[in-house]
Amino acid sequence: MATVTSRPLPARLAGALGAGILAGAVVVSAGPPVAAHTGSDSHDAAAYARTWAADQPLRPGCRKVRYRYEVDPPTDQAWGLETFLIGPRGKRIASGALSNTADRKKGRDTFDVCRTSTRPGKFRIRAKLTYYDGWTSHDGWADPTRFRLRRP
């Protein structure tokens, strides 16, 4: 028994061919960006960036938690340091960003923390450094900083 089609055969082939080309275009466009990440995220920035903080009181209200940072990338080109304050339960509480256009390579910064939503305990600062070598970006994590926020 023959099947009846409402469109002629050339139109169906053109439609199938067009769908195949479009599907191929989607796969091709899903490739990596031009300046793809080339570094490893497993502590490869520990030699180039670090943070540290002293134990501090967690006072009533909203206050600033102080920490220090130092960045020394292997190139003199652009760099950025993203910092994350992680609380005792492992959740991100605050974050910050430093860059070569606005900040020195060594200095102080703060996180804003409110006692009503933060418990005292052991905290960590995670820092992700991104720097450029020509058109290639490199990024990785510095070693985490550990400190305590305690009741005054």
Coordinates of all heavy atoms in Angstrom, one line a residue, residues 2 6-7 11 35 37 54 59-60 67 70-71 74-75 78 93 104 106 109-110 115 126 141 149:
A2 N 0.6 2.2 -0.8 CA 1.4 3.4 -0.9 C 0.9 4.4 0.1 O -0.2 4.5 0.4 CB 1.2 4.0 -2.4
S6 N 1.1 15.0 1.5 CA 0.5 16.3 1.1 C 1.5 17.2 0.4 O 1.1 18.1 -0.2 CB -0.1 17.0 2.3 OG 0.9 17.3 3.3
R7 N 2.8 17.0 0.6 CA 3.8 17.8 0.0 C 4.6 16.9 -1.0 O 4.8 15.7 -0.8 CB 4.8 18.4 1.0 CG 4.2 19.3 2.0 CD 5.2 20.0 2.8 NE 6.0 19.1 3.6 CZ 7.0 19.4 4.4 NH1 7.3 20.7 4.5 NH2 7.6 18.5 5.1
A11 N 10.2 19.0 -1.7 CA 9.9 19.9 -0.6 C 10.2 19.2 0.8 O 10.8 19.8 1.7 CB 8.5 20.4 -0.6
A35 N 38.8 33.0 23.8 CA 39.8 33.0 24.9 C 39.4 32.0 26.0 O 39.0 32.4 27.0 CB 40.0 34.4 25.5
H37 N 39.4 29.2 29.0 CA 40.2 29.0 30.2 C 41.3 28.0 30.0 O 41.1 27.0 29.4 CB 39.2 28.5 31.3 CG 39.9 27.9 32.5 ND1 40.6 28.7 33.4 CD2 40.0 26.7 32.9 CE1 41.1 27.9 34.3 NE2 40.7 26.7 34.1
A54 N 42.2 37.9 61.1 CA 42.4 37.6 62.5 C 41.0 37.2 63.1 O 40.0 37.6 62.5 CB 42.9 38.8 63.3
R59 N 29.8 41.6 66.6 CA 29.1 42.6 67.4 C 27.6 42.7 66.9 O 27.3 42.3 65.7 CB 29.8 43.9 67.3 CG 31.1 43.9 68.0 CD 31.6 45.3 68.2 NE 32.8 45.3 69.1 CZ 34.0 45.2 68.6 NH1 34.3 45.2 67.4 NH2 35.0 45.3 69.5
P60 N 26.7 43.2 67.8 CA 25.3 43.4 67.3 C 25.2 44.4 66.2 O 26.1 45.2 66.0 CB 24.7 44.0 68.6 CG 25.6 43.6 69.7 CD 27.0 43.5 69.2
Y67 N 39.6 41.9 56.5 CA 40.6 40.9 56.1 C 41.6 41.5 55.2 O 41.4 42.7 54.7 CB 39.9 39.7 55.3 CG 39.4 40.0 53.9 CD1 40.2 39.8 52.8 CD2 38.1 40.6 53.8 CE1 39.7 40.1 51.5 CE2 37.6 40.9 52.5 CZ 38.4 40.7 51.4 OH 37.9 41.0 50.2
E70 N 46.7 39.8 49.3 CA 47.9 40.1 48.6 C 47.8 39.3 47.2 O 47.5 38.1 47.2 CB 49.2 39.7 49.3 CG 50.5 40.0 48.6 CD 51.7 39.7 49.5 OE1 51.5 39.1 50.6 OE2 52.8 40.1 49.0
V71 N 48.1 40.1 46.2 CA 48.1 39.5 44.8 C 49.4 39.8 44.1 O 49.9 40.9 44.2 CB 46.9 40.1 44.0 CG1 46.9 39.6 42.6 CG2 45.6 39.9 44.7
P74 N 52.0 36.4 37.9 CA 53.2 36.3 37.2 C 53.4 37.2 36.0 O 54.4 37.3 35.4 CB 53.2 34.8 36.7 CG 51.8 34.4 36.6 CD 51.1 35.2 37.7
T75 N 52.3 38.0 35.6 CA 52.4 39.0 34.6 C 52.0 40.3 35.1 O 51.4 40.4 36.2 CB 51.4 38.6 33.4 OG1 50.1 38.8 33.9 CG2 51.7 37.2 32.9
A78 N 46.3 42.7 33.4 CA 45.1 42.8 34.2 C 45.0 41.6 35.1 O 45.3 40.4 34.8 CB 43.9 42.9 33.3
I93 N 28.2 33.9 52.6 CA 27.5 34.9 53.4 C 27.7 36.3 52.7 O 26.8 37.1 52.6 CB 28.1 35.0 54.8 CG1 27.7 33.7 55.5 CG2 27.5 36.2 55.6 CD1 28.2 33.6 56.9
R104 N 45.1 48.2 45.0 CA 46.6 47.8 45.0 C 46.8 46.3 45.1 O 45.8 45.6 45.4 CB 47.2 48.5 46.3 CG 47.1 50.0 46.3 CD 47.7 50.5 47.5 NE 47.1 49.8 48.7 CZ 47.2 50.3 49.9 NH1 47.9 51.3 50.2 NH2 46.7 49.6 50.9
K106 N 48.4 44.8 47.3 CA 48.4 44.3 48.7 C 47.6 45.4 49.5 O 47.8 46.6 49.4 CB 49.8 44.3 49.3 CG 49.9 43.7 50.7 CD 51.4 43.6 51.1 CE 51.5 43.1 52.5 NZ 52.9 42.9 52.9
D109 N 40.5 44.9 52.9 CA 39.1 45.0 52.4 C 38.2 44.4 53.5 O 38.7 43.9 54.6 CB 38.9 44.2 51.1 CG 37.8 44.7 50.3 OD1 37.2 45.8 50.6 OD2 37.4 44.0 49.4
T110 N 36.9 44.6 53.3 CA 35.9 44.1 54.3 C 34.7 43.4 53.7 O 34.5 43.6 52.5 CB 35.4 45.3 55.1 OG1 34.7 46.2 54.2 CG2 36.4 46.1 55.9
R115 N 24.7 40.5 62.4 CA 24.6 39.5 63.4 C 23.3 38.8 63.5 O 23.2 37.6 63.8 CB 24.9 40.1 64.8 CG 25.0 39.1 65.9 CD 25.5 39.7 67.1 NE 25.2 38.9 68.3 CZ 25.6 39.2 69.5 NH1 26.3 40.3 69.7 NH2 25.3 38.4 70.5
R126 N 37.4 32.3 50.7 CA 37.8 31.7 49.5 C 38.1 32.8 48.5 O 37.4 33.7 48.4 CB 36.8 30.7 48.9 CG 36.4 29.6 49.8 CD 37.4 28.4 49.6 NE 37.3 27.8 48.3 CZ 38.2 27.2 47.7 NH1 39.4 27.2 48.2 NH2 38.1 26.7 46.5
W141 N 42.1 29.0 42.3 CA 41.8 29.3 43.7 C 43.0 29.4 44.6 O 43.9 28.6 44.5 CB 40.8 28.2 44.3 CG 39.5 28.2 43.6 CD1 39.1 27.5 42.5 CD2 38.4 29.0 43.9 NE1 37.8 27.8 42.2 CE2 37.3 28.7 43.0 CE3 38.1 30.0 44.9 CZ2 36.1 29.3 43.1 CZ3 36.9 30.6 45.0 CH2 35.9 30.3 44.1
L149 N 34.6 34.2 64.1 CA 33.9 35.3 64.6 C 33.2 34.8 65.8 O 32.5 33.8 65.8 CB 32.8 35.7 63.5 CG 33.3 36.4 62.3 CD1 32.2 36.7 61.3 CD2 34.1 37.6 62.6

